[in-house]
Amino acid sequence: MMAAARMAFASCGRVHLLLPSSPSTPILARTRVGCGGIAKSISFLAPSSAARSTKHAALFCSCTSSSSDAVVAPAPTQSAVEEKKPAAVVEEKSEVPVGELAGLLDIRVGRVVKAWLHPEADTLYVEEVDVGEEQPRTICSGLVKYLSLDQLQDSNVIVLANLKPRNMRGIKSNGMLMCASDASHETVELLTPPEGSVPGERVWFGSEDDKSLQSEPATGNQVQKKKIWESVQPHLKTTDNCTTVLGEHPMRTSAGKVFCKSFQGAGVS
């Protein structure tokens, strides 16, 4: 074995003794020129003291190439990388169509049974609204600046009924009266269901046949957490004939299309 080591050393131009952190395990390294002028490094590693006897020593040799002709694994293709990714990473989350989001809103026909000024807020009305439940809903609306009590009392309205309840100056509000307004929000009109609409009926968007395609409404917590109303509201407007639409799809009850009194091209909130 020592003779083999001497033969390896004889073919080397230079030999270096590399001392690791443990002096009991020396490493001998050298650099030589191999075939075709390729620079290669050879290192001889002595085994640990546990593997050596007092009379014999063994040397282990390794060789690496630094030439450009060394074998290099090809870079993985994009498709190979994507195959290793979880599906959730490869496919981006698609945006939910606004029509599907609108179907999660519980928008109903309502009738204002009673309305009065909020005792603690000059800008708020308090209404009791029949939305087809056992008891009328209490709703607070910031409409004092725009509508009189006479305009609210006994009026047929459109109610967004699955908002999360909010405490408004000591009174819990359980919904929102939907209105159309001009761009400056200086003038506001209530959305009105067509004559013959029944309090409690859930409205929808689209053709008469689309009523059967309505999904179950989301809970108030889901509407708030997923910002469903905030995603739908910018797409609501009134047309040239004052009907209310989502994009191009009219808001409907079984009696016809929902409308406002006079606003054309107005926003809805």
Short mmCIF file of all heavy atoms in Angstrom, two decimals, residues 105-176:
data_model
loop_
_atom_site.label_atom_id
_atom_site.label_comp_id
_atom_site.label_asym_id
_atom_site.label_seq_id
_atom_site.Cartn_x
_atom_site.Cartn_y
_atom_site.Cartn_z
N LEU A 105 -75.44 37.68 -2.04
CA LEU A 105 -76.09 38.75 -1.27
C LEU A 105 -77.58 38.43 -1.11
O LEU A 105 -78.24 37.99 -2.06
CB LEU A 105 -75.92 40.09 -1.98
CG LEU A 105 -74.48 40.60 -2.12
CD1 LEU A 105 -74.44 41.87 -2.96
CD2 LEU A 105 -73.86 40.85 -0.74
N ASP A 106 -78.08 38.67 0.09
CA ASP A 106 -79.50 38.45 0.37
C ASP A 106 -80.21 39.80 0.24
O ASP A 106 -80.35 40.55 1.20
CB ASP A 106 -79.66 37.88 1.78
CG ASP A 106 -81.09 37.48 2.09
OD1 ASP A 106 -81.93 37.53 1.17
OD2 ASP A 106 -81.37 37.13 3.25
N ILE A 107 -80.64 40.12 -0.98
CA ILE A 107 -81.32 41.38 -1.27
C ILE A 107 -82.81 41.08 -1.37
O ILE A 107 -83.23 40.24 -2.17
CB ILE A 107 -80.79 42.00 -2.57
CG1 ILE A 107 -79.27 42.19 -2.50
CG2 ILE A 107 -81.47 43.34 -2.83
CD1 ILE A 107 -78.64 42.68 -3.79
N ARG A 108 -83.59 41.78 -0.56
CA ARG A 108 -85.02 41.45 -0.46
C ARG A 108 -85.91 42.68 -0.68
O ARG A 108 -85.50 43.82 -0.50
CB ARG A 108 -85.35 40.88 0.92
CG ARG A 108 -84.58 39.65 1.32
CD ARG A 108 -85.16 39.11 2.61
NE ARG A 108 -84.22 38.24 3.31
CZ ARG A 108 -84.47 37.71 4.51
NH1 ARG A 108 -85.63 37.98 5.11
NH2 ARG A 108 -83.58 36.94 5.09
N VAL A 109 -87.15 42.37 -1.03
CA VAL A 109 -88.19 43.38 -1.04
C VAL A 109 -88.57 43.67 0.41
O VAL A 109 -88.67 42.76 1.24
CB VAL A 109 -89.43 42.88 -1.81
CG1 VAL A 109 -90.58 43.89 -1.71
CG2 VAL A 109 -89.07 42.61 -3.26
N GLY A 110 -88.73 44.95 0.73
CA GLY A 110 -89.13 45.33 2.08
C GLY A 110 -90.20 46.42 2.06
O GLY A 110 -90.44 47.06 1.03
N ARG A 111 -90.81 46.61 3.21
CA ARG A 111 -91.79 47.69 3.37
C ARG A 111 -91.56 48.34 4.72
O ARG A 111 -91.50 47.66 5.75
CB ARG A 111 -93.22 47.15 3.28
CG ARG A 111 -94.29 48.22 3.49
CD ARG A 111 -95.68 47.64 3.32
NE ARG A 111 -96.71 48.65 3.65
CZ ARG A 111 -97.17 48.83 4.89
NH1 ARG A 111 -96.70 48.11 5.91
NH2 ARG A 111 -98.10 49.76 5.11
N VAL A 112 -91.38 49.66 4.71
CA VAL A 112 -91.12 50.40 5.94
C VAL A 112 -92.42 50.52 6.74
O VAL A 112 -93.37 51.17 6.29
CB VAL A 112 -90.52 51.80 5.65
CG1 VAL A 112 -90.31 52.56 6.96
CG2 VAL A 112 -89.20 51.67 4.88
N VAL A 113 -92.45 49.88 7.88
CA VAL A 113 -93.63 49.89 8.73
C VAL A 113 -93.66 51.15 9.59
O VAL A 113 -94.73 51.76 9.82
CB VAL A 113 -93.66 48.64 9.63
CG1 VAL A 113 -94.86 48.66 10.58
CG2 VAL A 113 -93.67 47.38 8.79
N LYS A 114 -92.49 51.57 10.05
CA LYS A 114 -92.40 52.73 10.94
C LYS A 114 -91.02 53.36 10.78
O LYS A 114 -90.03 52.64 10.58
CB LYS A 114 -92.62 52.28 12.39
CG LYS A 114 -92.61 53.41 13.41
CD LYS A 114 -92.85 52.84 14.82
CE LYS A 114 -92.81 53.95 15.87
NZ LYS A 114 -93.03 53.41 17.24
N ALA A 115 -90.92 54.67 10.87
CA ALA A 115 -89.64 55.38 10.77
C ALA A 115 -89.64 56.56 11.73
O ALA A 115 -90.67 57.22 11.93
CB ALA A 115 -89.41 55.85 9.34
N TRP A 116 -88.48 56.84 12.34
CA TRP A 116 -88.35 57.97 13.26
C TRP A 116 -86.90 58.42 13.32
O TRP A 116 -85.99 57.72 12.85
CB TRP A 116 -88.85 57.59 14.66
CG TRP A 116 -88.07 56.52 15.38
CD1 TRP A 116 -87.09 56.70 16.29
CD2 TRP A 116 -88.24 55.11 15.25
NE1 TRP A 116 -86.61 55.50 16.74
CE2 TRP A 116 -87.32 54.50 16.12
CE3 TRP A 116 -89.09 54.28 14.48
CZ2 TRP A 116 -87.19 53.12 16.25
CZ3 TRP A 116 -88.98 52.91 14.61
CH2 TRP A 116 -88.04 52.35 15.49
N LEU A 117 -86.69 59.60 13.84
CA LEU A 117 -85.34 60.12 13.98
C LEU A 117 -84.59 59.37 15.07
O LEU A 117 -85.16 59.06 16.13
CB LEU A 117 -85.37 61.61 14.33
CG LEU A 117 -85.66 62.57 13.17
CD1 LEU A 117 -85.92 63.98 13.73
CD2 LEU A 117 -84.48 62.61 12.20
N HIS A 118 -83.32 59.07 14.82
CA HIS A 118 -82.47 58.43 15.84
C HIS A 118 -82.32 59.40 17.01
O HIS A 118 -81.96 60.56 16.83
CB HIS A 118 -81.11 58.09 15.25
CG HIS A 118 -80.29 57.16 16.07
ND1 HIS A 118 -79.88 57.45 17.36
CD2 HIS A 118 -79.79 55.92 15.78
CE1 HIS A 118 -79.18 56.44 17.83
NE2 HIS A 118 -79.10 55.50 16.90
N PRO A 119 -82.58 58.95 18.23
CA PRO A 119 -82.51 59.86 19.38
C PRO A 119 -81.11 60.37 19.71
O PRO A 119 -80.96 61.38 20.39
CB PRO A 119 -83.07 59.02 20.54
CG PRO A 119 -82.86 57.61 20.11
CD PRO A 119 -82.99 57.59 18.63
N GLU A 120 -80.07 59.67 19.20
CA GLU A 120 -78.70 60.05 19.53
C GLU A 120 -77.89 60.50 18.33
O GLU A 120 -76.69 60.74 18.45
CB GLU A 120 -77.98 58.87 20.21
CG GLU A 120 -78.64 58.38 21.49
CD GLU A 120 -78.62 59.43 22.59
OE1 GLU A 120 -77.70 60.29 22.58
OE2 GLU A 120 -79.52 59.41 23.46
N ALA A 121 -78.50 60.56 17.15
CA ALA A 121 -77.75 60.93 15.94
C ALA A 121 -78.65 61.74 15.01
O ALA A 121 -79.66 61.21 14.51
CB ALA A 121 -77.22 59.68 15.25
N ASP A 122 -78.27 62.97 14.75
CA ASP A 122 -79.09 63.86 13.93
C ASP A 122 -79.16 63.45 12.46
O ASP A 122 -80.06 63.89 11.73
CB ASP A 122 -78.57 65.29 14.02
CG ASP A 122 -78.70 65.88 15.42
OD1 ASP A 122 -79.56 65.37 16.18
OD2 ASP A 122 -77.95 66.82 15.74
N THR A 123 -78.19 62.65 12.00
CA THR A 123 -78.15 62.30 10.58
C THR A 123 -78.79 60.95 10.29
O THR A 123 -78.84 60.53 9.13
CB THR A 123 -76.68 62.25 10.09
OG1 THR A 123 -75.96 61.28 10.86
CG2 THR A 123 -76.02 63.61 10.25
N LEU A 124 -79.29 60.27 11.31
CA LEU A 124 -79.80 58.91 11.13
C LEU A 124 -81.31 58.82 11.35
O LEU A 124 -81.86 59.45 12.26
CB LEU A 124 -79.11 57.94 12.09
CG LEU A 124 -77.60 57.73 11.95
CD1 LEU A 124 -77.10 56.78 13.04
CD2 LEU A 124 -77.25 57.19 10.57
N TYR A 125 -81.94 58.01 10.51
CA TYR A 125 -83.29 57.54 10.77
C TYR A 125 -83.21 56.12 11.33
O TYR A 125 -82.27 55.37 11.04
CB TYR A 125 -84.13 57.49 9.49
CG TYR A 125 -84.57 58.82 8.94
CD1 TYR A 125 -84.41 59.13 7.60
CD2 TYR A 125 -85.21 59.75 9.77
CE1 TYR A 125 -84.84 60.34 7.07
CE2 TYR A 125 -85.65 60.97 9.25
CZ TYR A 125 -85.45 61.26 7.92
OH TYR A 125 -85.89 62.46 7.41
N VAL A 126 -84.23 55.75 12.07
CA VAL A 126 -84.41 54.36 12.47
C VAL A 126 -85.71 53.87 11.84
O VAL A 126 -86.74 54.56 11.91
CB VAL A 126 -84.49 54.21 14.01
CG1 VAL A 126 -84.59 52.73 14.40
CG2 VAL A 126 -83.28 54.86 14.67
N GLU A 127 -85.64 52.72 11.18
CA GLU A 127 -86.83 52.18 10.53
C GLU A 127 -87.11 50.75 11.03
O GLU A 127 -86.18 50.00 11.33
CB GLU A 127 -86.66 52.12 9.00
CG GLU A 127 -86.28 53.41 8.34
CD GLU A 127 -84.78 53.48 8.05
OE1 GLU A 127 -84.14 52.41 7.97
OE2 GLU A 127 -84.27 54.61 7.93
N GLU A 128 -88.36 50.42 11.09
CA GLU A 128 -88.78 49.03 11.23
C GLU A 128 -89.28 48.59 9.86
O GLU A 128 -90.18 49.22 9.28
CB GLU A 128 -89.88 48.89 12.28
CG GLU A 128 -89.39 49.09 13.70
CD GLU A 128 -90.48 48.88 14.74
OE1 GLU A 128 -91.64 48.60 14.33
OE2 GLU A 128 -90.18 48.97 15.93
N VAL A 129 -88.63 47.54 9.32
CA VAL A 129 -88.89 47.15 7.93
C VAL A 129 -89.36 45.69 7.88
O VAL A 129 -88.71 44.79 8.41
CB VAL A 129 -87.61 47.32 7.07
CG1 VAL A 129 -87.94 47.02 5.60
CG2 VAL A 129 -87.04 48.72 7.22
N ASP A 130 -90.48 45.49 7.22
CA ASP A 130 -91.00 44.14 6.99
C ASP A 130 -90.22 43.52 5.82
O ASP A 130 -90.31 44.00 4.68
CB ASP A 130 -92.49 44.22 6.66
CG ASP A 130 -93.11 42.86 6.35
OD1 ASP A 130 -92.43 41.82 6.55
OD2 ASP A 130 -94.27 42.84 5.90
N VAL A 131 -89.45 42.45 6.12
CA VAL A 131 -88.73 41.73 5.06
C VAL A 131 -89.15 40.27 5.03
O VAL A 131 -88.39 39.39 4.65
CB VAL A 131 -87.20 41.86 5.23
CG1 VAL A 131 -86.74 43.26 4.95
CG2 VAL A 131 -86.76 41.39 6.62
N GLY A 132 -90.41 40.02 5.43
CA GLY A 132 -90.95 38.67 5.35
C GLY A 132 -90.61 37.78 6.53
O GLY A 132 -90.81 36.56 6.45
N GLU A 133 -90.11 38.35 7.61
CA GLU A 133 -89.78 37.57 8.80
C GLU A 133 -90.87 37.75 9.86
O GLU A 133 -91.80 38.55 9.69
CB GLU A 133 -88.41 38.00 9.33
CG GLU A 133 -87.29 37.76 8.34
CD GLU A 133 -85.96 38.38 8.74
OE1 GLU A 133 -85.98 39.35 9.52
OE2 GLU A 133 -84.92 37.90 8.25
N GLU A 134 -90.74 37.02 10.97
CA GLU A 134 -91.78 37.09 12.00
C GLU A 134 -91.92 38.50 12.57
O GLU A 134 -93.02 38.95 12.87
CB GLU A 134 -91.45 36.10 13.13
CG GLU A 134 -91.59 34.64 12.71
CD GLU A 134 -91.37 33.71 13.89
OE1 GLU A 134 -91.19 34.22 15.02
OE2 GLU A 134 -91.40 32.48 13.69
N GLN A 135 -90.79 39.17 12.73
CA GLN A 135 -90.79 40.53 13.27
C GLN A 135 -90.09 41.47 12.29
O GLN A 135 -89.16 41.06 11.58
CB GLN A 135 -90.07 40.58 14.62
CG GLN A 135 -90.71 39.73 15.71
CD GLN A 135 -92.09 40.27 16.10
OE1 GLN A 135 -92.34 41.49 16.05
NE2 GLN A 135 -93.00 39.37 16.48
N PRO A 136 -90.51 42.73 12.23
CA PRO A 136 -89.81 43.68 11.35
C PRO A 136 -88.36 43.85 11.80
O PRO A 136 -88.02 43.72 12.98
CB PRO A 136 -90.60 44.99 11.56
CG PRO A 136 -91.93 44.56 12.06
CD PRO A 136 -91.68 43.33 12.90
N ARG A 137 -87.52 44.13 10.84
CA ARG A 137 -86.10 44.39 11.14
C ARG A 137 -85.90 45.85 11.51
O ARG A 137 -86.50 46.74 10.90
CB ARG A 137 -85.23 44.06 9.94
CG ARG A 137 -85.01 42.60 9.71
CD ARG A 137 -83.76 42.40 8.91
NE ARG A 137 -83.56 41.00 8.58
CZ ARG A 137 -82.40 40.50 8.18
NH1 ARG A 137 -81.35 41.31 8.04
NH2 ARG A 137 -82.29 39.22 7.89
N THR A 138 -85.00 46.07 12.45
CA THR A 138 -84.61 47.44 12.78
C THR A 138 -83.38 47.80 11.95
O THR A 138 -82.37 47.08 11.96
CB THR A 138 -84.28 47.56 14.28
OG1 THR A 138 -85.44 47.23 15.03
CG2 THR A 138 -83.84 48.97 14.61
N ILE A 139 -83.49 48.89 11.21
CA ILE A 139 -82.40 49.34 10.33
C ILE A 139 -82.17 50.82 10.55
O ILE A 139 -83.13 51.60 10.63
CB ILE A 139 -82.74 49.07 8.84
CG1 ILE A 139 -82.88 47.56 8.60
CG2 ILE A 139 -81.68 49.67 7.92
CD1 ILE A 139 -83.30 47.20 7.18
N CYS A 140 -80.92 51.20 10.66
CA CYS A 140 -80.55 52.62 10.76
C CYS A 140 -80.02 53.08 9.41
O CYS A 140 -79.19 52.40 8.79
CB CYS A 140 -79.48 52.82 11.84
SG CYS A 140 -80.05 52.43 13.51
N SER A 141 -80.48 54.24 8.96
CA SER A 141 -80.09 54.76 7.65
C SER A 141 -79.69 56.23 7.76
O SER A 141 -80.39 57.02 8.40
CB SER A 141 -81.25 54.64 6.66
OG SER A 141 -81.72 53.31 6.57
N GLY A 142 -78.60 56.59 7.11
CA GLY A 142 -78.14 57.98 7.10
C GLY A 142 -78.81 58.79 6.02
O GLY A 142 -78.14 59.35 5.13
N LEU A 143 -80.13 58.90 6.08
CA LEU A 143 -80.90 59.52 5.00
C LEU A 143 -81.59 60.82 5.39
O LEU A 143 -82.36 61.37 4.61
CB LEU A 143 -81.96 58.53 4.49
CG LEU A 143 -81.43 57.24 3.88
CD1 LEU A 143 -82.58 56.29 3.57
CD2 LEU A 143 -80.62 57.53 2.61
N VAL A 144 -81.31 61.31 6.61
CA VAL A 144 -81.99 62.52 7.08
C VAL A 144 -81.78 63.69 6.13
O VAL A 144 -82.70 64.48 5.86
CB VAL A 144 -81.51 62.88 8.50
CG1 VAL A 144 -82.07 64.23 8.94
CG2 VAL A 144 -81.92 61.79 9.48
N LYS A 145 -80.59 63.80 5.57
CA LYS A 145 -80.25 64.91 4.69
C LYS A 145 -80.97 64.82 3.34
O LYS A 145 -81.14 65.83 2.64
CB LYS A 145 -78.74 64.94 4.48
CG LYS A 145 -78.23 66.04 3.59
CD LYS A 145 -76.71 65.97 3.45
CE LYS A 145 -76.18 67.04 2.51
NZ LYS A 145 -74.70 66.97 2.35
N TYR A 146 -81.47 63.64 2.98
CA TYR A 146 -81.96 63.43 1.62
C TYR A 146 -83.46 63.16 1.53
O TYR A 146 -84.09 63.46 0.51
CB TYR A 146 -81.22 62.25 0.99
CG TYR A 146 -79.72 62.35 1.12
CD1 TYR A 146 -79.03 61.56 2.05
CD2 TYR A 146 -78.99 63.25 0.36
CE1 TYR A 146 -77.66 61.65 2.18
CE2 TYR A 146 -77.62 63.36 0.49
CZ TYR A 146 -76.95 62.55 1.40
OH TYR A 146 -75.59 62.65 1.55
N LEU A 147 -84.03 62.55 2.58
CA LEU A 147 -85.43 62.16 2.51
C LEU A 147 -86.16 62.60 3.78
O LEU A 147 -85.57 62.62 4.87
CB LEU A 147 -85.55 60.63 2.38
CG LEU A 147 -84.91 59.97 1.15
CD1 LEU A 147 -84.99 58.46 1.28
CD2 LEU A 147 -85.59 60.44 -0.13
N SER A 148 -87.42 62.91 3.62
CA SER A 148 -88.24 63.24 4.79
C SER A 148 -88.82 61.96 5.38
O SER A 148 -88.85 60.90 4.73
CB SER A 148 -89.37 64.19 4.38
OG SER A 148 -90.30 63.51 3.55
N LEU A 149 -89.31 62.06 6.60
CA LEU A 149 -89.95 60.91 7.23
C LEU A 149 -91.19 60.47 6.44
O LEU A 149 -91.48 59.27 6.34
CB LEU A 149 -90.34 61.24 8.67
CG LEU A 149 -89.21 61.15 9.71
CD1 LEU A 149 -89.70 61.65 11.07
CD2 LEU A 149 -88.70 59.72 9.82
N ASP A 150 -91.89 61.41 5.88
CA ASP A 150 -93.08 61.08 5.09
C ASP A 150 -92.71 60.24 3.86
O ASP A 150 -93.49 59.38 3.43
CB ASP A 150 -93.81 62.35 4.65
CG ASP A 150 -94.51 63.05 5.81
OD1 ASP A 150 -94.75 62.38 6.84
OD2 ASP A 150 -94.79 64.26 5.68
N GLN A 151 -91.54 60.52 3.27
CA GLN A 151 -91.10 59.73 2.12
C GLN A 151 -90.73 58.31 2.50
O GLN A 151 -90.82 57.39 1.67
CB GLN A 151 -89.91 60.42 1.44
CG GLN A 151 -90.26 61.71 0.72
CD GLN A 151 -89.04 62.40 0.17
OE1 GLN A 151 -88.16 62.86 0.92
NE2 GLN A 151 -88.97 62.49 -1.16
N LEU A 152 -90.29 58.11 3.74
CA LEU A 152 -89.92 56.77 4.20
C LEU A 152 -91.13 55.97 4.67
O LEU A 152 -91.24 54.77 4.38
CB LEU A 152 -88.93 56.87 5.35
CG LEU A 152 -87.45 57.02 5.01
CD1 LEU A 152 -86.62 57.13 6.29
CD2 LEU A 152 -86.96 55.83 4.18
N GLN A 153 -92.02 56.61 5.39
CA GLN A 153 -93.13 55.89 6.01
C GLN A 153 -93.99 55.18 4.97
O GLN A 153 -94.41 55.76 3.97
CB GLN A 153 -94.00 56.88 6.80
CG GLN A 153 -95.09 56.23 7.62
CD GLN A 153 -94.52 55.41 8.78
OE1 GLN A 153 -93.64 55.86 9.50
NE2 GLN A 153 -95.04 54.20 8.93
N ASP A 154 -94.19 53.86 5.20
CA ASP A 154 -95.02 53.01 4.34
C ASP A 154 -94.46 52.83 2.92
O ASP A 154 -95.19 52.38 2.01
CB ASP A 154 -96.46 53.54 4.24
CG ASP A 154 -97.17 53.52 5.58
OD1 ASP A 154 -96.96 52.55 6.35
OD2 ASP A 154 -97.91 54.48 5.87
N SER A 155 -93.19 53.17 2.72
CA SER A 155 -92.61 53.03 1.38
C SER A 155 -92.16 51.60 1.14
O SER A 155 -91.77 50.87 2.06
CB SER A 155 -91.43 53.99 1.20
OG SER A 155 -90.40 53.69 2.13
N ASN A 156 -92.24 51.19 -0.13
CA ASN A 156 -91.68 49.89 -0.54
C ASN A 156 -90.22 50.10 -0.91
O ASN A 156 -89.88 51.02 -1.66
CB ASN A 156 -92.47 49.34 -1.73
CG ASN A 156 -93.90 48.99 -1.37
OD1 ASN A 156 -94.15 48.43 -0.31
ND2 ASN A 156 -94.84 49.33 -2.25
N VAL A 157 -89.37 49.24 -0.38
CA VAL A 157 -87.93 49.46 -0.49
C VAL A 157 -87.22 48.16 -0.88
O VAL A 157 -87.83 47.08 -0.90
CB VAL A 157 -87.35 49.99 0.84
CG1 VAL A 157 -87.87 51.38 1.16
CG2 VAL A 157 -87.65 49.03 1.99
N ILE A 158 -85.93 48.30 -1.17
CA ILE A 158 -85.04 47.15 -1.41
C ILE A 158 -84.03 47.13 -0.27
O ILE A 158 -83.38 48.15 0.01
CB ILE A 158 -84.34 47.26 -2.77
CG1 ILE A 158 -85.36 47.26 -3.91
CG2 ILE A 158 -83.34 46.12 -2.95
CD1 ILE A 158 -86.15 45.97 -4.04
N VAL A 159 -83.91 45.97 0.37
CA VAL A 159 -83.08 45.85 1.57
C VAL A 159 -81.95 44.85 1.33
O VAL A 159 -82.20 43.72 0.87
CB VAL A 159 -83.92 45.38 2.77
CG1 VAL A 159 -83.04 45.19 4.02
CG2 VAL A 159 -85.04 46.38 3.06
N LEU A 160 -80.71 45.26 1.64
CA LEU A 160 -79.60 44.32 1.70
C LEU A 160 -79.63 43.71 3.11
O LEU A 160 -79.32 44.38 4.10
CB LEU A 160 -78.27 45.03 1.43
CG LEU A 160 -77.00 44.16 1.50
CD1 LEU A 160 -77.11 42.94 0.61
CD2 LEU A 160 -75.79 45.00 1.11
N ALA A 161 -80.03 42.44 3.18
CA ALA A 161 -80.42 41.86 4.47
C ALA A 161 -79.35 41.01 5.14
O ALA A 161 -79.54 40.61 6.29
CB ALA A 161 -81.68 41.02 4.29
N ASN A 162 -78.25 40.70 4.47
CA ASN A 162 -77.26 39.84 5.13
C ASN A 162 -75.93 40.54 5.40
O ASN A 162 -74.86 39.94 5.34
CB ASN A 162 -77.02 38.54 4.37
CG ASN A 162 -76.46 38.74 2.96
OD1 ASN A 162 -76.62 39.80 2.36
ND2 ASN A 162 -75.80 37.71 2.45
N LEU A 163 -76.02 41.82 5.71
CA LEU A 163 -74.86 42.50 6.27
C LEU A 163 -74.72 42.12 7.74
O LEU A 163 -75.71 41.83 8.41
CB LEU A 163 -75.01 44.02 6.16
CG LEU A 163 -74.98 44.62 4.75
CD1 LEU A 163 -75.24 46.12 4.81
CD2 LEU A 163 -73.64 44.34 4.06
N LYS A 164 -73.50 42.14 8.24
CA LYS A 164 -73.29 41.86 9.66
C LYS A 164 -73.90 42.99 10.48
O LYS A 164 -73.70 44.16 10.17
CB LYS A 164 -71.79 41.74 9.95
CG LYS A 164 -71.48 41.28 11.36
CD LYS A 164 -69.99 41.07 11.53
CE LYS A 164 -69.67 40.59 12.94
NZ LYS A 164 -68.22 40.36 13.12
N PRO A 165 -74.69 42.68 11.51
CA PRO A 165 -75.31 43.75 12.32
C PRO A 165 -74.28 44.73 12.87
O PRO A 165 -73.17 44.35 13.24
CB PRO A 165 -75.98 42.96 13.45
CG PRO A 165 -76.24 41.60 12.88
CD PRO A 165 -75.08 41.33 11.97
N ARG A 166 -74.67 46.01 12.89
CA ARG A 166 -73.78 47.07 13.38
C ARG A 166 -74.49 47.88 14.45
O ARG A 166 -75.67 48.19 14.34
CB ARG A 166 -73.38 48.01 12.23
CG ARG A 166 -72.52 47.37 11.17
CD ARG A 166 -72.22 48.39 10.08
NE ARG A 166 -71.59 49.59 10.61
CZ ARG A 166 -71.42 50.72 9.91
NH1 ARG A 166 -71.88 50.79 8.68
NH2 ARG A 166 -70.82 51.75 10.46
N ASN A 167 -73.73 48.24 15.47
CA ASN A 167 -74.26 49.10 16.52
C ASN A 167 -74.07 50.55 16.08
O ASN A 167 -72.95 51.03 15.93
CB ASN A 167 -73.53 48.83 17.84
CG ASN A 167 -74.24 49.48 19.02
OD1 ASN A 167 -74.69 50.62 18.93
ND2 ASN A 167 -74.32 48.76 20.13
N MET A 168 -75.18 51.25 15.89
CA MET A 168 -75.12 52.64 15.41
C MET A 168 -75.70 53.56 16.47
O MET A 168 -76.92 53.69 16.61
CB MET A 168 -75.86 52.78 14.08
CG MET A 168 -75.29 51.87 12.99
SD MET A 168 -76.05 52.06 11.36
CE MET A 168 -75.36 53.64 10.87
N ARG A 169 -74.79 54.11 17.27
CA ARG A 169 -75.14 55.03 18.35
C ARG A 169 -76.17 54.41 19.29
O ARG A 169 -77.18 55.02 19.64
CB ARG A 169 -75.65 56.36 17.78
CG ARG A 169 -74.69 57.09 16.87
CD ARG A 169 -73.46 57.59 17.62
NE ARG A 169 -73.81 58.61 18.58
CZ ARG A 169 -73.85 59.91 18.30
NH1 ARG A 169 -73.60 60.34 17.07
NH2 ARG A 169 -74.15 60.79 19.25
N GLY A 170 -75.91 53.17 19.69
CA GLY A 170 -76.75 52.53 20.68
C GLY A 170 -77.89 51.70 20.13
O GLY A 170 -78.59 51.02 20.89
N ILE A 171 -78.11 51.70 18.82
CA ILE A 171 -79.18 50.90 18.21
C ILE A 171 -78.54 49.96 17.19
O ILE A 171 -77.77 50.40 16.32
CB ILE A 171 -80.24 51.79 17.53
CG1 ILE A 171 -80.94 52.65 18.58
CG2 ILE A 171 -81.25 50.94 16.77
CD1 ILE A 171 -81.98 53.59 18.01
N LYS A 172 -78.86 48.68 17.29
CA LYS A 172 -78.28 47.70 16.38
C LYS A 172 -79.04 47.71 15.06
O LYS A 172 -80.26 47.52 15.01
CB LYS A 172 -78.32 46.30 16.99
CG LYS A 172 -77.64 45.24 16.12
CD LYS A 172 -77.57 43.91 16.83
CE LYS A 172 -76.53 43.96 17.96
NZ LYS A 172 -76.33 42.61 18.54
N SER A 173 -78.31 47.94 13.98
CA SER A 173 -78.88 47.98 12.65
C SER A 173 -78.67 46.64 11.96
O SER A 173 -77.56 46.10 11.94
CB SER A 173 -78.24 49.10 11.83
OG SER A 173 -78.78 49.15 10.52
N ASN A 174 -79.75 46.10 11.37
CA ASN A 174 -79.71 44.76 10.77
C ASN A 174 -80.00 44.80 9.27
O ASN A 174 -80.89 44.10 8.78
CB ASN A 174 -80.72 43.87 11.47
CG ASN A 174 -80.37 43.60 12.91
OD1 ASN A 174 -79.56 42.73 13.22
ND2 ASN A 174 -80.98 44.36 13.82
N GLY A 175 -79.28 45.60 8.55
CA GLY A 175 -79.45 45.67 7.11
C GLY A 175 -79.24 47.08 6.59
O GLY A 175 -78.80 47.98 7.31
N MET A 176 -79.55 47.26 5.32
CA MET A 176 -79.34 48.55 4.68
C MET A 176 -80.40 48.78 3.61
O MET A 176 -80.70 47.89 2.81
CB MET A 176 -77.95 48.59 4.03
CG MET A 176 -77.62 49.91 3.34
SD MET A 176 -75.97 49.87 2.58
CE MET A 176 -76.30 48.86 1.13
#
